[in-house]
């Protein structure tokens, strides 16, 4: 009997904590949402015609002058460039984690979004794609509370397609450079290309206000495929938050075009040619991702946000 009472009380406590968390998120983002709603009625559509957008994006990639990565210092120095001057940059989500046998506490899972007029996701009609969840919902939930329609994707989670909340929808589907079945870890997963996923959801022609991608080392293949075949999908994205995983530099041959740092270097330049500007970056906060290279502290994993301002 006592055990049942404790279980019941514990369930009530968990329920109350969930409600409290939602109330905190509502308070945190409510004023911003209210302000933006009264100052922006821009519909979530791409304003240029489909043919023009396709042609412009493909022309930008074809004419993009790609310089080879000659020295790893160029890669590390990329993040020292001037950032897009956002006056209202806000973090969404984030949960506390621990490293080094729980001796070090850090926050992970958050993403920065610029809320300046003209680039801010318009509440009540913004669209967010979030690839890679791994049961860490804080960003997706926060964007849902803000007012966006959120689609969360992860084929490795033991969950079926479902509606998590009025604004957050989960799909047991992965993002890839192919369509079909693909082995991810030890699982055979259903995957699709970005264009195929937009078509599935009936989002062709819609702007993705925030595209979040944390797909554990598959981001290179995905971005190379999109940039080569459908770069117009990225020109319909306003803010692009990604976690990249180049690993540790240990003197690898940079002249090899298949080198991971060289491939990321090409992607950085192609995104610039499409009009993306660096908004924010930081090393992934997990201590296990950090390493030393020639006396400087580096990371195997970076959190990056690019923004594509209106022309």
């Amino acid at each position: 009997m006592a055990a049942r009472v404790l279980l019941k009380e514990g369930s009530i406590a968990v329920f109350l904590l969930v409600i409290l968390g939602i109330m905190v998120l509502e308070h945190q983002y409510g004023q911003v949402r209210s302000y933006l709603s009264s100052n922006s009625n821009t519909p979530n559509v791409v304003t240029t015609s489909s043919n023009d957008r396709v042609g412009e994006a493909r022309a930008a990639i074809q004419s993009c002058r790609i310089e080879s990565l000659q020295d790893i210092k160029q890669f590390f120095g990329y993040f020292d460039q001037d950032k897009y001057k956002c006056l209202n940059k806000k973090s969404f989500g984030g949960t506390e984690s621990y490293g080094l046998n729980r001796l070090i506490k850090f926050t992970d899972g958050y993403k920065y979004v610029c809320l300046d007029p003209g680039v801010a996701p318009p509440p009540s009609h913004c669209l967010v794609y979030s690839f890679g969840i791994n049961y860490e919902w804080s960003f997706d939930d926060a964007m849902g509370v803000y007012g966006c329609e959120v689609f969360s994707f992860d084929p490795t989670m033991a969950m079926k397609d479902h509606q998590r909340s009025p604004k957050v929808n989960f799909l047991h589907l992965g993002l890839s450079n192919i369509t079909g079945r693909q082995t991810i870890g030890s699982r055979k997963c259903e995957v699709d290309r970005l264009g195929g996923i937009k078509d599935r959801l009936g989002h062709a022609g819609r702007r993705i206000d925030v595209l979040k991608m944390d797909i554990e080392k598959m981001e290179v293949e995905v971005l190379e495929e999109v940039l080569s075949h459908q770069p117009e999908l990225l020109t319909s994205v306003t803010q692009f938050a990604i976690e990249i995983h180049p690993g540790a530099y240990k003197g690898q041959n940079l002249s090899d075009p298949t080198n991971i740092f060289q491939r990321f270097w090409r992607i950085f330049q192609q995104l610039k040619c499409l009009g993306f500007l660096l908004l924010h970056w930081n090393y992934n906060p997990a201590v296990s991702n950090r390493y030393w290279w020639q006396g400087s502290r580096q990371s195997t994993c970076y959190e990056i946000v690019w923004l594509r301002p209106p022309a």
Side-chain angles (χ1 to χ4, degrees):
M1 182 67 179
R4 290 180 182 176
V5 172
L6 287 173
L7 179 60
K8 183 177 180 181
E9 291 178 347
S11 300
I12 293 173
V14 171
F15 175 75
L16 290 174
L17 284 173
V18 170
I19 296 299
L20 179 61
I22 293 174
M23 291 174 64
V24 169
L25 286 172
E26 284 284 4
H27 175 74
Q28 185 176 8
Y29 303 120
Q31 290 182 329
V32 171
R33 186 174 63 244
S34 176
Y35 168 78
L36 290 172
S37 294
S38 63
N39 285 275
S40 174
N41 292 308
T42 306
N44 182 274
V45 294
V46 179
T47 54
T48 55
S49 71
S50 176
N51 289 337
D52 288 346
R53 183 166 48 86
V54 171
E56 290 171 3
R58 297 187 181 187
I61 291 298
Q62 290 172 2
S63 63
C64 188
R65 182 180 176 184
I66 304 296
E67 296 184 358
S68 178
L69 182 64
Q70 302 295 326
D71 191 312
I72 194 61
K73 292 179 182 178
Q74 290 176 273
F75 182 90
F76 296 147
Y78 173 82
F79 304 102
D80 296 330
Q81 66 178 282
D82 291 339
K83 314 298 187 296
Y84 176 83
K85 290 180 172 56
C86 176
L87 300 179
N88 189 9
K89 186 172 70 173
K90 189 173 185 64
S91 64
F92 284 75
T95 55
E96 290 185 349
S97 300
Y98 292 85
L100 289 180
N101 297 320
R102 298 186 64 83
L103 294 176
I104 297 178
K105 184 170 70 174
F106 59 91
T107 302
D108 197 10
Y110 63 89
K111 302 296 179 186
Y112 279 98
V113 177
C114 182
L115 299 182
D116 288 356
V119 297
S124 78
H125 48 253
C126 47
L127 179 64
V128 174
Y129 277 15
S130 177
F131 292 101
I133 311 302
N134 193 27
Y135 304 97
E136 207 294 282
W137 294 96
S138 64
F139 170 78
D140 305 62
D141 289 343
M143 293 305 302
V145 169
Y146 171 86
C148 292
E149 185 180 17
V150 181
F151 289 86
S152 310
F153 305 83
D154 197 321
T156 68
M157 291 168 58
M159 288 184 174
K160 296 181 179 179
D161 294 359
H162 68 277
Q163 187 171 9
R164 174 174 168 83
S165 69
K167 288 288 190 177
V168 180
N169 308 276
F170 175 77
L171 288 89
H172 193 260
L173 175 67
L175 178 64
S176 184
N177 61 336
I178 65 168
T179 298
R181 305 283 292 178
Q182 185 174 35
T183 300
I184 302 177
S186 59
R187 306 184 185 196
K188 277 283 188 180
C189 301
E190 183 183 1
V191 298
D192 203 349
R193 297 175 173 89
L194 181 58
I197 291 173
K198 289 194 74 174
D199 289 342
R200 286 190 190 208
L201 297 176
H203 292 160
R206 283 193 66 181
R207 180 195 310 120
I208 300 177
D209 294 280
V210 180
L211 171 61
K212 188 215 92 176
M213 196 181 295
D214 183 0
I215 51 178
E216 303 304 326
K217 302 181 181 180
M218 293 177 62
E219 65 273 5
V220 175
E221 287 78 10
V222 167
L223 287 174
E224 287 177 338
E225 190 276 331
V226 173
L227 288 164
S228 295
H229 298 102
Q230 288 187 294
E232 62 275 8
L233 294 173
L234 292 177
T235 58
S236 67
V237 172
T238 302
Q239 303 191 48
F240 179 23
I242 185 173
E243 182 175 279
I244 68 167
H245 307 80
Y249 180 71
K250 299 179 180 178
Q252 298 96 315
N253 180 14
L254 294 178
S255 64
D256 180 356
T258 66
N259 176 274
I260 189 67
F261 290 95
Q262 191 72 253
R263 293 167 73 186
F264 273 122
W265 189 245
R266 285 197 296 271
I267 289 169
F268 292 172
Q269 294 175 81
Q270 288 173 312
L271 288 173
K272 182 177 180 180
C273 287
L274 289 180
F276 284 93
L277 303 176
L278 185 63
L279 170 66
H280 172 86
W281 79 276
N282 60 268
Y283 296 128
N284 181 275
V287 177
S288 58
N289 291 324
R290 304 299 296 276
Y291 70 98
W292 289 96
W293 179 82
Q294 292 189 358
S296 64
R297 193 74 161 148
Q298 301 299 335
S299 179
T300 63
C301 181
Y302 297 79
E303 309 281 353
I304 308 175
V305 184
W306 286 282
L307 181 147
R308 189 174 186 272

